[in-house]
Amino acid sequence: DVKVTQSSRYLVKRTGEKVFLECVQDMDHENMFWYRQDPGLGLRLIYFSYDVKMKEKGDIPEGYSVSREKKERFSLILESASTNQTSMYLCASSLSGPYYEQYFGPGTRLTVT
Amino acid sequence: AQKITQTQPGMFVQEKEAVTLDCTYDTSDPSYGLFWYKQPSSGEMIFLIYQGSYDQQNATEGRYSLNFQKARKSANLVISASQLGDSAMYFCAQSAGFKTIFGAGTRLFVKA
């Protein structure tokens, strides 16, 4: 059974803290993605990675960075958390190419106070 | 730029009836994929169905079918014989290259 796991379901952080969100997939997928989901806005792509150490900015990369040192792991980093980064964060993975569905993790609900 | 529009923020359907969720997209890429995902209240996104831009036939997966009208750039999801467990958010998505763009979603309520 394919699986994408995320390090936390719920996270509460203070403004200015450095936040790490981890995602691991066990399907040997080349592509990995980080999205944030806000009501009425759907899913917006923050960053994606198509190979180890390779990354591309999505639509809303400001305030975020990513790391992919191993194929199965993709980390999202909030260098200095702000209240407007309070959101649901979803990680996904897929095979390479636009014709493959994405497999999603359960999501991390991050609250920044 | 890619854009996905889901014009129905919320919809109601009677159990056992069919329902159509609308989706229009806008892309200049000749090769792309169209997807529908379901997100129950538990939060996890579940892949439902896929349609390739060059596919001649509409995709079907069990009770789900995708009404693909390429000239109109629409990719509506049809759910037949609705069940209470179909109550969820539904997202239309379009991919080209590495990126996938998602619509804002439609919340479906199935009434007993």
Side-chain angles (χ1 to χ4, degrees), chain B residues 33-60:
Chain B
L34 295 158
F35 304 82
W36 278 92
Y37 292 86
K38 172 184 179 181
Q39 188 178 42
S41 56
S42 59
E44 192 153 346
M45 297 279 282
I46 302 164
F47 164 72
L48 295 178
I49 195 167
Y50 162 79
Q51 178 88 39
S53 57
Y54 293 117
D55 293 343
Q56 297 297 313
Q57 306 259 32
N58 286 341
T60 59

Side-chain angles (χ1 to χ4, degrees), chain B residues 12-33:
Chain B
F12 287 88
V13 65
Q14 197 67 40
E15 195 179 9
K16 299 180 185 175
E17 292 186 352
V19 63
T20 298
L21 306 184
D22 295 341
C23 173
T24 58
Y25 60 94
D26 187 11
T27 181
S28 56
D29 290 289
S31 178
Y32 52 87

Side-chain angles (χ1 to χ4, degrees), chain A residues 4 9 31 33 35 37 40-43 45 48 50 56-59 88 90 96-106, chain B residues 31-35 37 39 42-47 50 52-54 89 91 95-105:
Chain A
V4 179
R9 284 302 303 268
N31 293 345
F33 308 83
Y35 296 92
Q37 182 179 12
L41 297 177
L43 276 69
L45 181 65
F48 66 94
Y50 51 91
E56 291 286 340
K57 292 180 180 179
D59 298 314
M88 170 70 86
L90 293 169
S96 184
Y99 311 113
Y100 298 101
E101 69 272 24
Q102 295 181 22
Y103 293 86
F104 285 82
Chain B
S31 178
Y32 52 87
L34 295 158
F35 304 82
Y37 292 86
Q39 188 178 42
S42 59
E44 192 153 346
M45 297 279 282
I46 302 164
F47 164 72
Y50 162 79
S53 57
Y54 293 117
M89 280 289 285
F91 292 95
S95 69
F98 289 114
K99 287 183 62 173
T100 298
I101 302 294
F102 287 78

Side-chain angles (χ1 to χ4, degrees), chain A residues 48-56 66 68 74:
Chain A
F48 66 94
S49 169
Y50 51 91
D51 201 351
V52 175
K53 296 190 187 292
M54 306 304 290
K55 61 186 179 186
E56 291 286 340
V66 290
R68 193 170 181 197
F74 191 35

